[in-house]
Amino acid sequence: MHPMLNIAIRAARNAGKVIVKGYENLEAVEVEEKSLNDYVSSVDKEAEVAIIGTLRKSYPDHCIIAEESGADDGKDKDYQWIIDPLDGTTNFIHGIPHFSVSIALKIKGRTEVGVVFDPIRNELFSAVKGQGAQINGYRTRTNTVAKLPGTLLATGFPFKQKYHTETYLNIFRDLFMEVADMRRSGSAALDLAYVAAGRVDGFWEFGLKPWDIAAGELLVKESGAMMTDFNGGNDHMKSGNVVAANPKLLKEMLTVIRKHNL
């Protein structure tokens, strides 16, 4: 196993223990609104501390970008960890058992390690660049369906950017008329992991952050799929507008999305 993947998995599992403990005692969890419709719980913060603490034991000089505590510029600029300690906080605080830990490592600007961990189902999705992706040790492959009819797509509502609602719903309508069905689960990291594992055929969403998608992107790519922005380019980390699917289905999805002049 890649030594840094091993540490990422350890960090994700340590965070998972914090999350499960909090989930079993939700009435004691403190919740605050960071911004409109964007919540953070005391468990998010505790899980992030557990992740950073685990990483720092092995790599004290690495840079860290974390959703709750922001950027911590370490001495070694070549290594950057990107962390979402609890992707799916709204699900978590409502007692819906669908959320995840997301940890990615960039080395000299390229994502080399990615982990998405579902602590409720004990499902660990992991990838190392050039070595494929796995779920609990078994190789994952994305679905190879080439056309929209019959597919199952995942998405996320633009709840932090409700000014996109009309455009989003127009795209949703056009895609929905073509596909078998659509899912909105509440955790973009798990949605991408599910694309990698072939559980859903594709994924699209507005306005995501790097910590939502950094690990998931590597899972997707190492499973035979692609991830782009809404124009089919590579600006998704900056714009947060994400489409992921196998290359042929991705092209079909982009054809629909591009009609809306984003």
Side-chain angles (χ1 to χ4, degrees), residues 53 76 94 236:
D76 194 338
H94 284 84
H236 47 280

Side-chain angles (χ1 to χ4, degrees), residues 220-236:
V220 162
K221 289 182 175 179
E222 290 296 321
S223 299
M226 296 175 63
M227 195 160 99
T228 72
D229 59 29
F230 286 174
N231 294 311
N234 296 315
D235 195 43
H236 47 280

Side-chain angles (χ1 to χ4, degrees), residues 161 203-210 212-213 228-230 235-243:
Q161 300 175 338
F203 168 74
W204 63 286
E205 187 168 343
F206 281 84
L208 293 168
K209 298 295 185 182
D212 297 319
I213 57 179
T228 72
D229 59 29
F230 286 174
D235 195 43
H236 47 280
M237 280 292 175
K238 185 176 179 180
S239 70
N241 299 336
V242 171
V243 189

Side-chain angles (χ1 to χ4, degrees), residues 67 82-88 98-104 114-118 123 125-126 154-156 184-197 200 203 205 208-220 227 242 244:
E67 179 177 11
I82 304 172
I83 299 165
D84 190 339
L86 178 51
D87 185 54
H98 190 83
F99 36 78
S100 61
V101 180
S102 177
I103 302 173
V115 170
V116 174
F117 179 50
D118 178 343
E123 289 188 331
F125 302 85
S126 63
T155 186
R184 190 273 192 265
S185 73
S187 171
L190 278 179
D191 286 336
L192 291 168
Y194 281 19
V195 172
V200 296
F203 168 74
E205 187 168 343
L208 293 168
K209 298 295 185 182
W211 46 78
D212 297 319
I213 57 179
E217 179 179 23
L218 188 63
L219 294 173
V220 162
M227 195 160 99
V242 171

Side-chain angles (χ1 to χ4, degrees), residues 73-122:
D73 294 330
K75 295 177 182 178
D76 194 338
K77 307 299 183 186
D78 287 342
Y79 294 85
Q80 182 184 74
W81 295 89
I82 304 172
I83 299 165
D84 190 339
L86 178 51
D87 185 54
T89 299
T90 300
N91 281 350
F92 174 82
I93 62 180
H94 284 84
I96 299 171
H98 190 83
F99 36 78
S100 61
V101 180
S102 177
I103 302 173
L105 171 64
K106 284 190 173 185
I107 301 176
K108 296 183 178 179
R110 294 172 45 161
T111 306
E112 298 284 344
V113 170
V115 170
V116 174
F117 179 50
D118 178 343
I120 297 298
R121 297 177 183 85
N122 193 31

Side-chain angles (χ1 to χ4, degrees), residues 124-239:
L124 181 78
F125 302 85
S126 63
V128 173
K129 186 174 179 60
Q131 297 181 27
Q134 298 183 336
I135 172 174
N136 290 350
Y138 293 92
R139 181 70 186 267
T140 58
R141 295 298 299 175
T142 192
N143 289 339
T144 57
V145 59
K147 298 292 184 180
L148 285 167
T151 57
L152 178 64
L153 301 184
T155 186
F157 303 137
F159 64 94
K160 297 178 188 176
Q161 300 175 338
K162 291 194 173 180
Y163 54 86
H164 282 314
T165 298
E166 184 175 357
T167 302
Y168 173 85
L169 291 175
N170 287 337
I171 296 172
F172 185 101
R173 179 198 62 224
D174 288 354
L175 285 170
F176 185 68
M177 295 304 292
E178 296 286 336
V179 304
D181 208 347
M182 204 90 77
R183 294 286 181 270
R184 190 273 192 265
S185 73
S187 171
L190 278 179
D191 286 336
L192 291 168
Y194 281 19
V195 172
R199 294 178 177 177
V200 296
D201 298 299
F203 168 74
W204 63 286
E205 187 168 343
F206 281 84
L208 293 168
K209 298 295 185 182
W211 46 78
D212 297 319
I213 57 179
E217 179 179 23
L218 188 63
L219 294 173
V220 162
K221 289 182 175 179
E222 290 296 321
S223 299
M226 296 175 63
M227 195 160 99
T228 72
D229 59 29
F230 286 174
N231 294 311
N234 296 315
D235 195 43
H236 47 280
M237 280 292 175
K238 185 176 179 180
S239 70

